[in-house]
Amino acid sequence: MHMNKTSVADLAVFGGLPAFAETLHVGRPNIGHQERFLSRVGDLLERRWLTNNGPFVKELEAKIASLLGVKHCICMCNGTVALEIATRALELRGEVIIPSFTFVATAHALQWQEITPVFCDVDSQTHNIDPRKVEALITPRTTGIIGVHTWGRGCDALALTEIARRRGLRLMFDASHAFACSYQGRSVGSFGDAEVFSFHATKFFNTFEGGAVVTNDDRLAERARLMKNFGFAGLDNVIYIGTNGKMSEVSAAMGLTNLESLDEFIAINRRNHGRYRLGLEGLPGISLIGYEESERANFQYVIVEVEDTVSGISRDELVRILHAENVRARRYFHPGCHRMEPYRSYFPHAGLLLPETERLTTRVMSLPNGTAVGESDIQVICDLIRFVIENAEAIRSRMA
Ligand SMILES: *Cc1c(COP(=O)(O)O)cnc(C)c1O
């Protein structure tokens, strides 16, 4: 039986916990200086230049390239289209190896182009693609590997680079979580043949909807630029098959504004993350995923692993209680790409090769973070989790 609002109201009374007045979503947007954004909107309306490689898009591309230390940044309408364009520009086909423990867009961007995503398991500690398991998946049809920097923690780009070189494969990264992060002291964005960001509203850095392909490869950048603009090389001159992947000026205005507040976003996220760490400290069966002190991180993701044999309550039960208390915790990545359609039907036994992924998809949840989450919110969330764990047995019997 499912827990409903009434039983949770009981729970709140039972433990004397306040219910949230307002729903706390994971991923409420980080928004920079409102006046500066509105002033930019005024400028772009004044110019009547709304899209098609306008001045704000150009400025944003230059600023991101310089921030990340890469040669080219090509902004696009969203991260999924940026992934599709990058894979096409790299001429990937046949099979491409990706982790299953990712947002489904990583797989869809390939399958949409009839490229087969081959799911690789992840490392239980890093939650990132396990390079030791990549080689066994390479076949004569394999053309590339896409690593995902899950939670903004860089995946093992060095090992993947070595494998890709030795086996003659292309290497790309889905860096959707990892804007302004580093791996081995080097800025994410500069690894592999290309890296792709999402600037969706829920991401650390957003342009409402948006994304970008970044690369140091001139030819690849040129192709990606053509592809996002129908293949137009000049007025009336189409030299390539393309799509419409352009970023609008209003999105770029948001991006420029949010770039100015990046350090502030990181400081708030980092402080929040520390508060969660203190609030959840010592709770049996609850472990908070940390960030390396030596790397630059955006701290956008507050990721908790729930070990139900120790906590006495499962991740799913905990998420259900948090939802009923208006805390929008999310099961990530649930249930894993290989258990979603069409992949589930194509590869019904994929899970057999993905034991760590299978384990993580039942244990991991993300808790609200971002500049919209305050100290008292975190206190109540942690108190609630503590209460549930300490009374796991009684709560479980009420939920049953
Ligand atoms: C958000 C996300 C995407 C998709 O980006 P959109 O901008 O929403 O299209 C792709 N991959 C990962 C890992 C993501 O988190």
Side-chain angles (χ1 to χ4, degrees):
M1 208 182 91
H2 289 276
M3 190 153 196
N4 56 37
K5 292 261 176 209
T6 325
S7 61
V8 169
D10 289 350
L11 179 66
V13 172
F14 183 36
L17 284 165
F20 284 104
E22 206 189 329
T23 301
L24 272 168
H25 289 276
V26 169
R28 282 178 87 198
N30 296 328
I31 299 172
H33 202 287
Q34 282 199 28
E35 261 95 77
R36 267 181 249 152
F37 169 68
L38 293 173
S39 138
R40 285 186 169 107
V41 173
D43 292 350
L44 78 88
L45 293 178
E46 213 41 52
R47 271 198 294 272
R48 292 180 183 265
W49 193 343
L50 305 186
T51 187
N52 286 11
N53 209 23
F56 282 157
V57 165
K58 284 183 192 148
E59 187 184 347
L60 182 63
E61 290 182 339
K63 289 201 162 138
I64 291 174
S66 132
L67 175 77
L68 304 180
V70 290
K71 239 168 131 182
H72 306 280
C73 168
I74 304 116
C75 283
M76 302 199 186
C77 56
N78 62 57
T80 306
V81 165
L83 278 169
E84 287 167 11
I85 289 180
T87 54
R88 270 187 106 94
L90 273 170
E91 299 179 316
L92 296 186
R93 53 177 74 86
E95 296 172 1
V96 170
I97 297 167
I98 67 168
S100 175
F101 193 65
T102 179
F103 182 60
V104 73
T106 320
H108 278 356
L110 295 167
Q111 192 64 52
W112 190 253
Q113 307 176 79
E114 300 184 345
I115 300 167
T116 303
V118 173
F119 298 119
C120 184
D121 209 3
V122 288
D123 179 275
S124 62
Q125 295 306 305
T126 66
H127 297 187
N128 281 324
I129 189 167
D130 187 344
R132 293 166 303 182
K133 297 193 177 147
V134 167
E135 288 218 63
L137 301 173
I138 299 174
T139 74
R141 280 168 50 77
T142 309
T143 57
I145 304 166
I146 303 179
V148 180
H149 305 303
T150 312
W151 322 136
R153 302 191 305 175
C155 66
D156 193 344
L158 305 184
L160 293 174
T161 302
E162 191 278 319
I163 295 169
R165 273 213 191 110
R166 191 156 39 75
R167 305 295 298 257
L169 302 175
R170 297 294 211 165
L171 178 61
M172 243 176 76
F173 293 94
D174 179 340
S176 293
H177 292 187
F179 192 75
C181 297
S182 74
Y183 177 70
Q184 305 240 324
R186 205 169 116 193
S187 187
V188 166
S190 57
F191 293 97
D193 294 299
E195 300 210 49
V196 172
F197 291 100
S198 164
F199 304 148
H200 182 256
T202 55
K203 301 302 202 277
F204 166 67
F205 167 79
N206 88 85
T207 62
F208 298 105
E209 290 269 5
V213 176
V214 299
T215 179
N216 287 315
D217 180 332
D218 298 342
R219 283 197 48 231
L220 187 65
E222 177 63 24
R223 270 209 294 269
R225 270 193 196 288
L226 284 169
M227 285 181 173
K228 72 145 189 188
N229 189 30
F230 314 101
F232 275 105
L235 220 53
D236 299 333
N237 184 26
V238 170
I239 61 164
Y240 219 90
I241 180 172
T243 183
N244 183 354
K246 292 181 268 89
M247 177 182 274
S248 75
E249 283 291 276
V250 75
S251 282
M254 184 67 159
L256 288 168
T257 307
N258 286 338
L259 267 191
E260 292 166 356
S261 296
L262 228 49
D263 291 337
E264 187 192 322
F265 294 168
I266 293 176
I268 293 171
N269 277 349
R270 186 192 182 108
R271 200 170 59 209
N272 283 348
H273 200 275
R275 286 177 179 141
Y276 273 112
R277 180 155 30 78
L278 287 175
L280 299 174
E281 207 158 49
L283 278 182
I286 298 290
S287 42
L288 179 70
I289 297 308
Y291 294 94
E292 293 269 351
E293 276 303 321
S294 58
E295 302 288 357
R296 186 174 153 92
N298 62 33
F299 296 90
Q300 181 74 6
Y301 295 91
V302 175
I303 300 298
V304 168
E305 270 188 61
V306 183
E307 171 104 77
D308 63 353
T309 54
V310 182
S311 63
I313 202 117
S314 71
R315 187 271 317 262
D316 288 359
E317 287 165 327
L318 196 48
V319 166
R320 214 186 302 151
I321 292 168
L322 288 165
H323 279 195
E325 293 283 328
N326 290 332
V327 179
R328 304 302 293 174
R330 291 279 313 268
R331 305 187 284 181
Y332 267 5
F333 293 100
H334 185 82
C337 294
H338 67 289
R339 286 177 177 269
M340 292 176 169
E341 291 297 352
Y343 316 108
R344 183 171 59 186
S345 298
Y346 290 169
F347 320 111
H349 306 297
L352 294 174
L353 286 174
L354 304 167
E356 293 302 340
T357 304
E358 295 264 279
R359 207 176 58 90
L360 286 177
T361 53
T362 65
R363 294 160 61 104
V364 170
M365 68 174 180
S366 85
L367 294 172
N369 200 14
T371 55
V373 175
E375 184 174 4
S376 59
D377 301 326
I378 296 171
Q379 190 63 54
V380 181
I381 293 170
C382 293
D383 287 349
L384 179 59
I385 295 174
R386 183 171 295 276
F387 175 81
V388 171
I389 304 280
E390 283 170 358
N391 298 279
E393 209 171 312
I395 291 167
R396 236 182 175 165
S397 64
R398 277 165 167 251
M399 286 175 87

